[in-house]
Amino acid sequence: MFLATHGVLRRSSGFVPPVFTDIYYFQFDGVTDYFTVDSPVTFTGNFSVSFWTQYSGGNYKAIFGGTSGSVGGMLESLVMVQGALYYRDTSSSWTKININSIVGLGWVNFALTYDSSLNEFKTYQNGTLQTTKNPSSFSSKGNSGIYQIGRRSTGSYYNSSLNEISSYDYVLSQSEVTSISAGPSDLTSLYPTQWFRMGEHSVWNGSAWVMTSQGSDTGTATSSGFTQSGNPSLH
């Protein structure tokens, strides 16, 4: 449940479809909650992203975003609009990238891959390929990547739950995407650049949650707006 108007760290109960063997996830309030990634990885060339979400509604609610709301770069922002996933790049326009709405589906896994040699941007939902796009305006810019989780530079605070956000500096194969969607307990064999477990490997420092990436980049992400809830001794 929400405490006041703020999101909370929630204990997972059942957490279906098959998922990571974790205990916690973060629920965002859509008002003030987000994380700032202290050493963000910029998307250049090939990249992939995976995350789990339990959608609660809303328009243009940002899952993550870069530092610019108008220029962007490769995947400047990723937002949810009534159960549909949209991205924005340097064109400053939004493109829908999943076919099947996730309204009422509970927890859903998304994986996004970009092959720069083919200019192919693929979206997978629960391991199944949804769309293949050929972006006309992807370009490498310093403000594109996972700089903020739960909002983008102009706001658009996420009002749903997120878990297990990972990024990669290569194109995930279909079999790798399938393995993630099946809910493995460990992603280290896939060599993620960043892997925020959204609860596990997080500590409450007295005023904010601090998550430590479990990828090759071991930076942190610090919350704003969240309250402390549940056991802060996470594993």
Side-chain angles (χ1 to χ4, degrees):
M1 297 176 63
F2 288 129
L3 299 181
T5 60
H6 299 289
V8 296
L9 174 68
R10 298 294 299 272
R11 187 180 184 91
S12 179
S13 175
F15 195 55
V16 291
V19 292
F20 293 77
T21 56
D22 61 3
I23 299 174
Y24 298 103
Y25 60 91
F26 278 102
Q27 182 174 349
F28 295 73
D29 69 358
V31 181
T32 60
D33 296 342
Y34 69 99
F35 282 86
T36 298
V37 179
D38 302 317
S39 56
V41 173
T42 299
F43 294 145
T44 58
N46 295 342
F47 67 86
S48 301
V49 179
S50 173
F51 63 92
W52 292 81
T53 186
Q54 183 172 242
Y55 179 65
S56 301
N59 285 320
Y60 293 95
K61 299 296 185 178
I63 295 164
F64 63 77
T67 58
S68 171
S70 59
V71 180
M74 291 182 171
L75 212 61
E76 180 269 324
S77 295
L78 192 70
V79 301
M80 194 70 70
V81 183
Q82 295 300 322
L85 195 63
Y86 286 73
Y87 80 90
R88 188 169 79 169
D89 55 23
T90 54
S91 67
S92 295
S93 62
W94 296 100
T95 302
K96 182 180 178 181
I97 52 175
N98 73 315
I99 298 171
N100 301 320
S101 170
I102 68 170
V103 173
L105 294 185
W107 284 98
V108 174
N109 173 251
F110 282 103
L112 315 174
T113 68
Y114 179 64
D115 187 326
S116 59
S117 65
L118 300 175
N119 190 34
E120 285 188 346
F121 183 47
K122 294 183 177 182
T123 301
Y124 299 84
Q125 182 173 316
N126 288 335
T128 300
L129 180 64
Q130 293 275 293
T131 60
T132 299
K133 302 293 184 181
N134 303 109
S136 61
S137 54
F138 264 22
S139 61
S140 299
K141 290 184 178 293
N143 57 5
S144 60
I146 304 178
Y147 282 66
Q148 298 176 111
I149 299 171
R151 62 161 273 173
R152 60 192 185 93
S153 61
T154 55
S156 303
Y157 294 87
Y158 203 53
N159 65 333
S160 300
S161 301
L162 290 172
N163 204 1
E164 306 291 354
I165 299 176
S166 56
S167 62
Y168 308 80
D169 60 4
Y170 67 95
V171 180
L172 289 169
S173 67
Q174 172 68 73
S175 62
E176 290 168 332
V177 169
T178 300
S179 72
I180 294 174
S181 70
S185 60
D186 194 351
L187 291 178
T188 54
S189 64
L190 298 179
Y191 303 102
T193 306
Q194 286 186 322
W195 177 20
F196 291 112
R197 303 213 57 196
M198 306 301 289
E200 280 71 20
H201 301 285
S202 304
V203 294
W204 179 258
N205 67 6
S207 60
W209 287 101
V210 180
M211 303 188 294
T212 300
S213 168
Q214 300 304 296
S216 59
D217 182 307
T218 56
T220 59
T222 304
S223 73
S224 177
F226 281 90
T227 59
Q228 182 183 14
S229 177
N231 186 353
S233 299
L234 307 178
H235 57 82

